[in-house]
Amino acid sequence: MRVDEHGVRHSAGGPAAAVQHDVRTCGDIHVVLPAYNEAAALPPLLRRIAEVELADRITVWVVDDGSSDGTGDCAAGVRGLDVRLVRHPVNLGLGQAVQSGLRAVLAQAAPDDVAIVMDADDTHDPDVIPALLKEISNGADVVICSRFVEGGDDSTAPRWRRVLSRGATAVFSRVVRFEGVQDFTSGFRAYRVSLLNRAAAHWGERLVEERGFACMVELLMKLRHCAPVVTEIPLKLRYDRKPSPSKLKLGRTLMQYLRLLTRDRLTPVPYRKL
């Protein structure tokens, strides 16, 4: 066991190694799907989730972020799956959709439950959910589905998306020094609810402030002050299953990353243990 300068604990065997801690049980599973105009992708994704082992313990929270294509209406009617719908009357951006989804989970979840955030465009494979739960049971507080560990792959994504992800990881690894994290921008992660409760008790409505794609990095940067155990498992991104063009805007996202880094440098470290 090693603790870095931020108090973050890491396993000695590297990011892909099993965490050597007391085994902790997992409660129910809450899957958060931020969705904006994903009517084509959402039904097949929900069917894949319904086929996952332990699907009877999964509650899916679809956050319809002001869609105009009937995304919210597609959330119903999947057999064998408990699907809840959270609606934004207008589009507020990915960050606020993640915030709304996590707040809905925290309002109902038990501390030993697990919250999993996935993209709603069917590029993330629900079949890895059991592997995420295994890492949580072995002691992890955050598990990142990483494209950059052995077995990970993002070759189906556009070249500019791959360059952006690698560039962001290189910068955040150097500036933030969150050792052990190789994929800062992955949108597919599992969190122990007790960890999110601790973070939400401190940041409240400011747990996720970014509106765009930088929100995933922001959440990870804030959680590091809670000294979480973080591990990564391989992610094979299925961009070939994405039925619609990417909603990520390169210039806007770069500016969000820059603003996030600046705010993190200027914000004091929490004065008490979280």
Side-chain angles (χ1 to χ4, degrees), residues 3-253:
V3 181
D4 67 17
E5 66 269 29
H6 298 292
V8 180
R9 296 171 286 171
H10 305 278
S11 58
V19 185
Q20 301 301 315
H21 301 287
D22 293 336
V23 173
R24 296 182 288 176
T25 59
C26 290
D28 292 332
I29 306 142
H30 302 264
V31 176
V32 176
L33 299 178
Y36 175 59
N37 288 341
E38 297 292 359
L42 190 58
L45 174 59
L46 291 175
R47 288 193 293 269
R48 295 182 207 280
I49 296 175
E51 295 170 355
V52 169
E53 182 183 358
L54 305 177
D56 59 329
R57 291 171 49 194
I58 295 177
T59 300
V60 177
W61 300 84
V62 175
V63 184
D64 182 3
D65 188 29
S67 299
S68 58
D69 67 345
T71 291
D73 298 331
C74 295
V78 178
R79 293 183 178 180
L81 195 61
D82 182 4
V83 182
R84 316 282 178 88
L85 181 62
V86 179
R87 289 187 185 269
H88 289 172
V90 297
N91 180 246
L92 299 177
L94 176 62
Q96 292 308 298
V98 170
Q99 169 92 321
S100 293
L102 291 179
R103 287 182 64 83
V105 170
L106 295 184
Q108 294 195 18
D112 64 343
D113 287 356
V114 178
I116 297 175
V117 178
M118 299 175 59
D119 288 353
D121 59 3
D122 204 21
T123 59
H124 293 162
D125 195 344
D127 284 344
V128 306
I129 288 178
L132 291 170
L133 298 178
K134 182 177 180 180
E135 291 291 307
I136 295 288
S137 293
N138 284 339
D141 298 303
V142 180
V143 189
I144 300 171
C145 292
S146 173
R147 296 156 289 184
F148 308 137
V149 297
E150 185 177 355
D153 178 53
D154 64 347
S155 60
T156 59
R159 180 177 177 82
W160 66 270
R161 286 287 299 262
R162 299 170 66 192
V163 171
L164 176 64
S165 299
R166 284 160 174 76
T169 288
V171 171
F172 284 108
S173 296
R174 180 177 296 273
V175 177
V176 179
R177 298 187 181 278
F178 201 167
E179 192 173 347
V181 177
Q182 298 191 51
D183 195 337
F184 277 83
T185 62
S186 173
F188 194 176
R189 300 183 194 148
Y191 308 90
R192 188 172 286 276
V193 164
S194 58
L195 172 70
L196 293 174
N197 280 332
R198 287 160 52 201
H202 178 77
W203 276 284
E205 295 288 346
R206 296 184 297 108
L207 182 61
V208 180
E209 297 176 89
E210 290 291 336
R211 296 176 66 92
F213 286 81
C215 67
M216 299 308 296
V217 183
E218 176 195 12
L219 182 56
L220 194 61
M221 291 168 69
K222 286 179 174 175
L223 290 178
R224 82 187 193 274
H225 296 298
C226 298
V229 176
V230 182
T231 62
E232 293 185 324
I233 65 172
L235 168 64
K236 292 186 177 180
L237 191 67
R238 294 299 307 271
Y239 213 89
D240 54 312
R241 290 202 303 230
K242 184 177 174 62
S244 59
S246 174
K247 300 177 181 68
L248 187 149
K249 305 299 182 184
L250 181 59
R252 182 184 304 171
T253 302

